[in-house]
Amino acid sequence: MWQTIDSAPMNGDEVLLYREDAGLFIGRWTAPIDFLSDRELEVSALTEDAANESGWFYADFVHGGRCDEPPTHWMPLPSPPTNQL
């Protein structure tokens, strides 16, 4: 069931997110310092404050990034299948 974003977990867990202009996407509340390597942080030239600034980040098959606008709703990801084909 969809819930408003203010109730979303902010612990780094991946969840299903929704925003009207973006549709459905997987994301998490995190900061760049939590997922970029030291080298990636160096190359990105992020300031220390920016590297530590938490926000909603999305991921897809090609790349990921910070959400320009926050999602409006969220729900937990479904559990993986338990049976083998």
Side-chain angles (χ1 to χ4, degrees), residues 12 18 24 27 29 35 40-41 43 45 47-48 57 60 74 76 81-82:
Y18 175 81
L24 302 173
W29 181 266
F35 61 86
E40 289 170 321
L41 284 168
V43 170
T47 65
E48 184 175 343
F57 285 79
D60 62 27
W74 78 279
T82 57

Side-chain angles (χ1 to χ4, degrees):
M1 184 165 99
W2 288 105
Q3 302 174 57
T4 58
I5 200 64
D6 58 329
S7 66
M10 295 182 155
N11 60 4
D13 288 352
E14 285 188 328
V15 294
L16 188 59
L17 298 169
Y18 175 81
R19 197 174 71 213
E20 186 173 330
D21 66 326
L24 302 173
F25 55 100
I26 294 174
R28 69 177 72 200
W29 181 266
T30 191
I33 200 162
D34 295 330
F35 61 86
L36 293 178
S37 69
D38 290 342
R39 178 71 180 135
E40 289 170 321
L41 284 168
E42 183 181 318
V43 170
S44 72
L46 287 173
T47 65
E48 184 175 343
D49 286 345
N52 285 290
E53 184 179 352
S54 293
W56 286 107
F57 285 79
Y58 66 91
D60 62 27
F61 292 108
V62 179
H63 67 290
R66 185 184 296 267
C67 294
D68 294 332
E69 296 292 327
T72 58
H73 294 80
W74 78 279
M75 68 185 322
L77 292 174
S79 299
T82 57
N83 58 350
Q84 299 288 332
L85 295 178

